[in-house]
Amino acid sequence: MRKVSRLSRFNVASLALGLAFLYLPILILVIYSFNASRLVTVWGGWSLRWYHEFFGDRAMIEAAWMSLRVAVSSATIATLLGTLAAVALSRGEQFHGRTLFSGMLYAPLVMPEVIAGLSLLLLFVALNAERGFWTVTIAHTTLTMCFVAVVVQSRLGSLDRSLEEAAMDLGCNPVRAFLSVTLPLIAPAIVAGWMLAFTLSLDDLVIASFTTGPGSATLPIRIYSEVRLGVKPEINAICTLVIALIAVVIVIASLASKLSSSRGESAAPL
């Protein structure tokens, strides 16, 4: 019988220190978002004052709404294009130019964001495109599509292709076999890719600062401009709301991936 190794005190201490290093600053930020004092480092009691200040700040609300619209739009487009690219790379091993296509697709993974942002800025200037919502959305789609492709391609690589071949032997054409068999099985990876693209877009500052225009500043740009003049307690409230939003997205995505996985497993034997 195989013995189950127990965690040693050193491992437990290392794990606790690692989690504290990652999450203790976030916890402190959340606690100080309920601080009644105007001074960030001085505790003045519990209060929702700075949340009221945020919801009364029209510029911050518009920036948050802009970031949310860009994140949803770019994540959806990136998920669609990234999934198609992953399918092409996984199912078309021998097509001409595969190496070049793969290299161009994964280039944003290692390319510095400053270079990507400057390149996109020069492209939009050359096309005489008015910078705003759509330029930021296109830029974020370019940034996040490669992450979606990596996640979906890894799932496709571990998928048993005999299930899809069996569906085609039973009369399905390739498109119907993909939609009926393969798509439900890779749905959790697609959901995870969308969630990753959403959070990356919501967090981006560098590329958005190059591609945004007047009246279309995202929330990270707005927060950065405010922090340059000094950290206000309102910033803590905004960041806490963003953390809560990301937590909700993670929970919903996890539930959706579990539901899709269970449906895919029940449909696979058919």
Side-chain angles (χ1 to χ4, degrees), residues 164-177:
E164 192 173 341
E165 294 172 356
M168 289 188 286
D169 290 339
L170 294 173
C172 291
N173 56 43
V175 175
R176 185 177 179 183

Side-chain angles (χ1 to χ4, degrees), residues 107 121 245:
L121 173 61
L245 174 63

Side-chain angles (χ1 to χ4, degrees), residues 24 31 61 70 104 158 248 251:
L24 187 58
I31 293 175
I61 293 294
V70 168
M104 294 178 64
S158 61
V248 170
V251 171

